[in-house]
Each structure stands twice: as structure tokens, then as C-alpha cells.
Amino acid sequence: MVEQAIDVAVIGAGPAGLAAAIKAKEAGAEKVTIIERAEQLGGLLHQCIHNGFGLVYFNEDLTGPEYARRFIEKAMDLKIDMQLESMVLDLTAAKRITISSKEGLRTFHAKAVILAMGCRERTRHQIMIPGTRPAGVFTAGTAQRYVNVEGYIPGKNIVILGSGDVGMIMARRLTLEGAKVEAVVEILPYIGGLIRNEVQCVHDFDIPLFLEHTVTEIIGLKRIEAVTIARVDQNQEPIPGTERTIECDTLLTSVGLIPENELSLKAGVALDPITGGPFVSDTMETSVAGIFAGGNVVHVNDLVDSVTSESEVAGAGAADYAMGKTTPAGRKISLKGGENIRYIVPHTIGADKEVTLSMRVREPGEKVKIRIGDVFTKSLRVVKPSEMLKVNLTLEQLGKIGEETGEIEIICEKRG
Amino acid sequence: MQSQWETDVVIIGAGVTGTTLARELSRYKVDAIVVDKGGDAGSQGQTKAAGGMIYTGLIMLMSFILKSVMAPDAPLYDPDSQKVKWLEQGFDMAAQWLEELDVEYHRLTTMVVATNTEEVKALESLVKFGESIGTNRYASARWADSKMCSDMEPHLTKDVVASLYSEGDLMHTQPWDIAIAQAENARQNGIRFMFDTEVTGVLQKNGYQIVETSQGPIKTRFIVNAAGIFADVVADMGGARDWGLAFVRNLPTILDKRTSRLVNTCLNRPPVPGKGPICYRTLDGNVKIETGPYVIPRDRYDTGAYPGELIQNLLEAKRYIPEISEKDVIRTFVGMRVFNTRDQEENIIEPCSTNPRFINAAVRLPGIIPALPIARHLVKMLGDAGLELTTNPDFNPFRTAIPRFRNLSESERNKLIAKDPRYGHVVCRCETITEGEIVEAIKRGARTVAGVRYVTRAGMGRCQGGFCGPRVVGILARELNIPVTQVMESGLGSPIVPFESKELLREAARVGA
């Protein structure tokens, strides 16, 4: 068995892993290795050939592959070690990593590890859509890979369940490929993805949008032949008598993403049941010392730009840890989601370091105020669960936190 | 009519019944062809959705009681019943059978729990029933008090007051593995297989018969109908019948392997009419919930889940294992089973009354346990009907499974990768299935995405092929040398991605012009 000691191991070479590895190297870690199971760097960005990437981070409008290229080139320039087509089979709390590739098994002993495995798509089985199990039912991301990377079209008549961003983007993409998108069906009374995608991908192409509807049956034995959709009530239960059948040869599901933490569990990393990702500190360190995490493995982001920024924090933290630069554990203040706050990342902060908080609301709201303990308030016109809220806390604001405070509640309240 | 193919025996159906017969026939110098309308052995019909349980003793007692729903007047245990004999023989032969075929199995403890005094009484009568039969086989159950129950099943509800358990009388397999292994072994011993081949008719000629199929006619002397849930349709082609098929279905649910710690045994409640075990841990480490009622489907094609059915099953299982969560569901499917209407308790294993060279083998559930004794009986029937049974000196009963990378030690893995680097390339990340295994599966006969899935497990994990699907399709196209657009999910008419990029646009332009 080939064994190797390294400073920082980064698991996953999507936007999170690339940004984290680059930052770790720049912060002084010498031996940084990225381990990636696919044949190339960049992760899912390669199949995201649409634009809208980098508006925040680069202040430019890039496609997914263009966005990826900037990081890939930088990683190459920095001579970061890349292990492609390499699957991590095991990760321990002692940061021993076993990988498999065509060259055989190898073991890395890393001083610090960054989890950057991203997320996977929820499937039709997980949301328990009744009906048969024919060919022609895909998650939107899998269909996106077929269309944009492999060069194949899944069908002619498409129904899309769920109005997540990938679902809406695929509605446009398949329309441009000559398929007919018969319907985008969303169980909530509002769109699940970004407003710009609702406008540019659905409305601009006159694709029928069914809000407060869901698919109640999948029909077809060999290949899907139709779906039944129905209106839902306030409890998201189908209303009898509102069913209609739509003939189709393809159903795409865009019904949520799940952080991919099977490896994290192997290493004993504690997961937040709400985000599905690790509990993290303000350096993006998990419950296991020296194991950091960034991007969609922690919580599902709306924008790749946020994934990048957050993973840079993880990269810097991991480099410090690997170089023994971490200061002894100082204050840890827990952040608690109060009124209409579903979750906050990171879960704990110190009082001595600027931090960006990412959070989501539970319910849409208008004319609201975000309040972070006694240290921060901000008024917002509209909030939606699908759009992440970001708040920067400066040292000055953090300085207002009382000496004895162990927990701060964050709320999103209606303005009076 | 000119037949392209000629043989002694045509076996219709490549499920467990058909493949077991094929392998048993290959012990003799017999020429046989197995035809199946599906794309691969064991990957559809009754076999695919069977429980894969091979059992005797305690669970068998419960199934004897359950049957009283179907045939209330019959004795619970009839030692003269052909079905019971085959079930007992089949269990006793199973370990050797599976080991020769290199089919994985694991032994499970059976546990029957009681949550109140009434249920304790039901367990007491279960014990009495077992003892009344008079053989050790059915008297192996032991009592566990609530403390012992929670030691054996730490995640079990605290409502359990006592349980019966027994060890050594239950093996769990993946049922399709048996059909796949036997098809491989039979093929290795000279039996031919034709897939995507639907039987459309049978013509009786002077001294021979013609099986008409979607691939052309096959001339044969004997025919065995092992068509499972279509056994009645095929039987009509052969001649007259005085039986029909009745169907029941249930809806098993598979949970993420993350939850495998939730259950150690095969967990049951006292016999409830029309219900199976609550849940158990499968060979591959998933929790499988079977609790749901067996119900009468609309028809044999009614293989979809009904609204509410899934959640109802989960809630029922949750009563016993409270930590079960709908968040952990990765797959559900419908198990379609048949009974015959003439005698719901027995199998139809007999020649057609108007065509003695056409043998019907309509096996009811459980069909895997008695498969081997039934196949040997069928061979004997063919011999009695005139088929020459000369021992095949080259018969090799052993089949070696494709290496299972996920189960190997580090040094074994390295050795395998050194021999074939494709075993180092993990394609299915949820189940840790390598390109080497997928390529070998295709070499051994898998021809569809489902075929690869059932042989290797690629795509059976928590992402359900979301990640590896396109890669498996690519490997199939490459290895079979066919276009990606012709790669099927499970047989003809189930393409995965039927069009090439820009094909629809070109088509529209043509129509427009």
C-alpha cells in the first residue's frame, strides 16, 4: 500500500474543493492534495453551460465552465496535487484517507481535511411519488449531464416537477433543443429557485407553470407515458377532482438537494439535521478537530459565488490547522434560529474574527427586519426560503456581544 | 415452416423457476433454450420483487397460519402436501445450492414480537402449533423477555413485552442473484438463452412443436412454461387448462444503508392475515420494510404505488422501530405474486391435459425455497414424457461470482486492480461498484441498465443511479458496441436517452420544410 503524508487533503474538486485548495495553498500549506472521483476538475460546473456565474465573486457574468476554468488554472499554477478518477473509500477521525484508483489503493495521512463533496439530488422515490417505475424519469441534474456533457436528449415531451433552479434551467435548455416542455409543476405557491430563472427560463419561453400542484401518479410500464397532476391544498395534499393527465415521455424532478455526507459520518463528524451538513464553526471546522467543510456539503447554496467564498474560509482554516497556527479555543457563541429563521451557517462564532452568516427563512415574508441579538438589525423588503440571506458581522459589531453571552438568537420579524 | 433454431426443450421464462430448471437440465446431455421477453435473467416479474427469504421453522409456521385466509378449511399443516414437502426439501438443500452458485446469503434470526397479553397468547399458540407437528424443524422457537428483546433489537419500541425468536431457520438472498447465477451456470454448461424474445404462439406438429417468438420460430420437442405472472397466457398457447391465475401485491420499501443499525433480525408481529414481516436488514445492509398488506391488484400490470400506500407502510413499521423515517426511503417497488385459482395452496406442476409435451410450472409464493426440488421434479417429468436423460460428463455445478470490490480486503483489492485497473475505478459511488465489475457483468450477459444493476448493484444506492446512470449507459454502449440511444433500461421499448443532441431540431426543420 502506498502511504503518503500531506498537509491538507481536499475531498472533491467542484467549486468548493477548488476554492478551498487554492486558499489553503495561498495561506501557506505546502502539500495540498485534491481528490476527485470524476475524470476532470470542476465538478458539476461543467454541465452548467448557462450563464449567471461569478456575478458576485468576479463581478462578471460567466458560464459554469468559464467559472470553473479560472479556479482550475489557478490550482494548476499553484501546483496543487490532483488525484483524478480517485474515490475516497474511507476517512477516519485521525484523518487517514484511503482512495482507490486505476493505480491501486493509496493512503494519505493528512494534517487537515476539507470536505467538499457537494450534494446529490433527491429522487422521485424519496418524495414518494405514486405510480410505476418506467424509464424516462430523471433528476434534473442527471438530465442536464446527458444533454450538456454526453450530448443526448432524454425525450420529446417533458414534464418537470419542482421549480428548483436546475429544473427551470433544464426547461429552457430542452426547449432550445427542440423538445416540448409541457409543464413545470411546483407544490408551493411560489417558485423554488431564483427569480431571474423564473423569468428567463420559464416565462420567456411560455412554459406552462402550475403552482400549488404536484404529480400524483407516474404512468407507463416500459417508458413513461403520462403523469397525473393535481392541485394541492394548504397541507400539500392533492385535492380530489382537480387531477389532469399530461402525456409525456420524460419526467424531470427538481425536488431538492441533499448534502452528501456519507464520508463525514465515517469520520464521526456530527451533522445538523436541518441542513443535512456538518455543524461548523466560523472557520468552517466540523465537530472533528482538523476536519473542515465548505460549500454544498455543509448546506445547499443558491449561488456558486457563495460556495466559493465559504470554502475559502475552510481552506484558510485548514491551512492554519495544518501549520499548527490555530489559537487555543477561545469563545464559542452559538447562533440560534428564532422566529422565521430555519438555519444559520456557521453554527458557532468567536467574537474576535469577522464572519459572514448565511441563513434561510422558513416562510416568505414582506417588510421584515433581521435581528441578530443586540448587535445587528437590517430591514428587508422581501424574504423567501429559496433566497439565502447573507450578513457580514464586523469586528465592531462583534465587539458589542456581552462577555457572558453564550448564545445569540437570530430572528426575522415583521416590521411594525 | 423453416425454423432457425431447433432444440429438445424450450423453457419459457428466465426467472428462478426457469433458470433452476435450465441448470438442472444441463446435468444431462440435453439441448435446451430459455426464452424471456425481458432483457436479462431474473430482473423482472415475480423473481425480481420476491423477498429473497429462504426459511423453515418459525416463519414457515406463520405462513402456514396466514394461508388459512386463502383456504380456511384446509389443515394448517398437511404433511402429505406436495408444496410442504418441496418447501422443506428446498430449505435443506439451499445452503449447498447457493454455495455452488456463489450466491451471497446471510442468516437472520427470526423474531416475532408481542406488544400486549393478547399477542403473547398468539405467540403461545404459535409454539403449540409448532410442537404439534412433531418434528424439531417447527419446535425451535425460544422465548425472550422484554429485556432480552431490547438487547437483541436495541431500537425496538419499548412496548414489546415478549418475543419468540429462532436462529438458523432463515437465510436472506437477493432473489435475482439466484436467477442470474443459474443462467450463467446453465449457459456455461451449454444451455442457450434468448432475451427480448416474446413467445406469441405454440404450434403442435407431428412429433414436435413450434414455439413462435418475436425473434422467429423455434422447433422443439418439449416446452416448459415457467412464465410466472404470465403463466396462464402462455398455457393457453400450449393447450387447455382448468386453472387460472389470481394476483396479490405488496409494496416493499428500501431504506438508506445509513439506517442499517436499526434492525438486526427479521422482525415480525404475530400472524396477521395478509401481512408479511415488519422489516429486516438485507444482505446488502439496507433496512427493508415489508409490512404493507398484500392486496388484490387491478390486474397483473398494476405495479405502481398507490397514493398514501408508502407512508402507511412506513408508519406501520415505525410503530415497532420508532426511528424509521421517511427521509431514509431510497426505493419502493411492487411485488406481484400469483396463486392459481384451482387450488390456491398448491403449485401447478403438470403437463397440459391436451398436450403432454407441454408442461406448466406455475409456482406460487414462496417460489424460491422450493425451486430446486421443483426443477428436479420437472426434469423427471420430462424424462417420463420421453426426453432422454444421459448424464452430461462435463457438467460443472460451480459458478464463480464477479468479484465484489466492496467486500474485499485492501490487499485483495490491490491484487484485483493490478490484474485489471478497471477494478480501481469506482463508478457507482453509493454502493462502491467498479468499472471492472460492470464490464464483467456485461461480458457475462447483462445487456441493459437494469441488467447491470441487478448483477452488480450499480444504481441501487441512495442516489438511484443519478450519478452513475450516464456512466453505466456509456459503458454498456461501449462494451456492446451499440449507440447510446439504443441502451435500454430493462428491455425493448425502454430507452434511456432516445435522441442525439440536435436530433429533435433537425427533425423539426425537416417537418417545417
Short mmCIF file of all heavy atoms in Angstrom, two decimals, chain A residues 7-8 18 66 109 189 201 238 243 333 348 371 375 394 401:
data_model
loop_
_atom_site.label_atom_id
_atom_site.label_comp_id
_atom_site.label_asym_id
_atom_site.label_seq_id
_atom_site.Cartn_x
_atom_site.Cartn_y
_atom_site.Cartn_z
N ASP A 7 -0.24 17.85 3.98
CA ASP A 7 -0.75 18.87 4.91
C ASP A 7 -2.26 18.95 4.87
O ASP A 7 -2.92 18.78 5.87
CB ASP A 7 -0.13 20.24 4.57
CG ASP A 7 1.37 20.23 4.80
OD1 ASP A 7 1.79 19.69 5.83
OD2 ASP A 7 2.11 20.73 3.93
N VAL A 8 -2.79 19.23 3.68
CA VAL A 8 -4.24 19.41 3.57
C VAL A 8 -4.77 18.51 2.44
O VAL A 8 -4.28 18.57 1.31
CB VAL A 8 -4.60 20.88 3.27
CG1 VAL A 8 -6.11 21.04 3.08
CG2 VAL A 8 -4.12 21.80 4.40
N LEU A 18 -12.04 23.35 -5.16
CA LEU A 18 -11.02 24.16 -5.83
C LEU A 18 -10.71 25.42 -5.02
O LEU A 18 -9.55 25.75 -4.79
CB LEU A 18 -11.51 24.54 -7.24
CG LEU A 18 -11.50 23.40 -8.27
CD1 LEU A 18 -12.24 23.82 -9.54
CD2 LEU A 18 -10.06 23.00 -8.61
N GLU A 66 -16.67 28.41 -17.67
CA GLU A 66 -15.75 29.55 -17.58
C GLU A 66 -15.37 29.83 -16.12
O GLU A 66 -14.21 30.11 -15.79
CB GLU A 66 -16.40 30.81 -18.18
CG GLU A 66 -16.43 30.80 -19.69
CD GLU A 66 -17.33 31.90 -20.28
OE1 GLU A 66 -18.15 32.49 -19.52
OE2 GLU A 66 -17.21 32.17 -21.47
N HIS A 109 -2.07 10.44 4.88
CA HIS A 109 -2.21 10.88 6.26
C HIS A 109 -2.14 12.40 6.22
O HIS A 109 -1.09 12.97 5.97
CB HIS A 109 -1.07 10.31 7.12
CG HIS A 109 -1.08 8.81 7.15
ND1 HIS A 109 -1.85 8.10 8.05
CD2 HIS A 109 -0.46 7.88 6.37
CE1 HIS A 109 -1.69 6.80 7.82
NE2 HIS A 109 -0.86 6.64 6.80
N PRO A 189 -46.79 27.64 -3.34
CA PRO A 189 -47.46 28.73 -4.06
C PRO A 189 -46.47 29.68 -4.73
O PRO A 189 -46.87 30.66 -5.34
CB PRO A 189 -48.24 29.47 -2.97
CG PRO A 189 -47.86 28.86 -1.67
CD PRO A 189 -46.90 27.76 -1.88
N CYS A 201 -36.15 31.57 -17.82
CA CYS A 201 -36.23 30.17 -18.27
C CYS A 201 -37.66 29.68 -18.46
O CYS A 201 -37.90 28.78 -19.23
CB CYS A 201 -35.54 29.25 -17.26
SG CYS A 201 -33.81 29.63 -17.03
N PRO A 238 -53.10 16.48 -2.36
CA PRO A 238 -53.84 16.66 -3.62
C PRO A 238 -55.34 16.81 -3.36
O PRO A 238 -55.89 16.15 -2.49
CB PRO A 238 -53.56 15.36 -4.37
CG PRO A 238 -52.32 14.80 -3.76
CD PRO A 238 -52.31 15.24 -2.34
N GLU A 243 -57.52 16.54 -10.69
CA GLU A 243 -56.49 15.82 -11.44
C GLU A 243 -56.60 16.10 -12.93
O GLU A 243 -57.70 16.27 -13.46
CB GLU A 243 -56.62 14.30 -11.24
CG GLU A 243 -56.43 13.81 -9.83
CD GLU A 243 -57.72 13.80 -9.02
OE1 GLU A 243 -58.76 14.26 -9.57
OE2 GLU A 243 -57.70 13.37 -7.86
N ILE A 333 -19.65 31.14 20.59
CA ILE A 333 -21.01 31.63 20.78
C ILE A 333 -21.90 30.91 19.79
O ILE A 333 -21.64 30.91 18.58
CB ILE A 333 -21.06 33.16 20.53
CG1 ILE A 333 -20.09 33.87 21.48
CG2 ILE A 333 -22.48 33.69 20.68
CD1 ILE A 333 -19.63 35.21 20.99
N THR A 348 -21.53 28.21 15.08
CA THR A 348 -20.94 28.94 16.21
C THR A 348 -19.96 29.97 15.66
O THR A 348 -19.39 29.80 14.57
CB THR A 348 -20.15 27.99 17.15
OG1 THR A 348 -19.09 27.37 16.39
CG2 THR A 348 -21.03 26.93 17.75
N ARG A 371 -32.86 40.51 12.93
CA ARG A 371 -32.25 40.99 14.17
C ARG A 371 -31.32 39.91 14.72
O ARG A 371 -31.72 38.76 14.91
CB ARG A 371 -33.37 41.28 15.18
CG ARG A 371 -32.90 41.94 16.46
CD ARG A 371 -34.03 42.00 17.47
NE ARG A 371 -35.11 42.90 17.09
CZ ARG A 371 -35.04 44.22 17.25
NH1 ARG A 371 -33.98 44.78 17.77
NH2 ARG A 371 -36.07 44.98 16.89
N VAL A 375 -26.80 43.06 18.43
CA VAL A 375 -25.66 43.63 17.74
C VAL A 375 -25.93 44.05 16.30
O VAL A 375 -25.15 44.79 15.72
CB VAL A 375 -24.45 42.66 17.77
CG1 VAL A 375 -24.09 42.32 19.20
CG2 VAL A 375 -24.72 41.43 16.96
N THR A 394 -19.04 42.68 11.43
CA THR A 394 -17.71 43.28 11.56
C THR A 394 -17.21 43.10 12.98
O THR A 394 -17.97 42.78 13.89
CB THR A 394 -17.77 44.78 11.24
OG1 THR A 394 -18.65 45.37 12.21
CG2 THR A 394 -18.32 45.02 9.85
N ILE A 401 -21.03 42.17 21.56
CA ILE A 401 -21.56 40.97 22.22
C ILE A 401 -21.07 40.96 23.67
O ILE A 401 -19.88 41.12 23.94
CB ILE A 401 -21.10 39.69 21.50
CG1 ILE A 401 -21.59 39.69 20.06
CG2 ILE A 401 -21.58 38.43 22.23
CD1 ILE A 401 -21.06 38.57 19.21
#
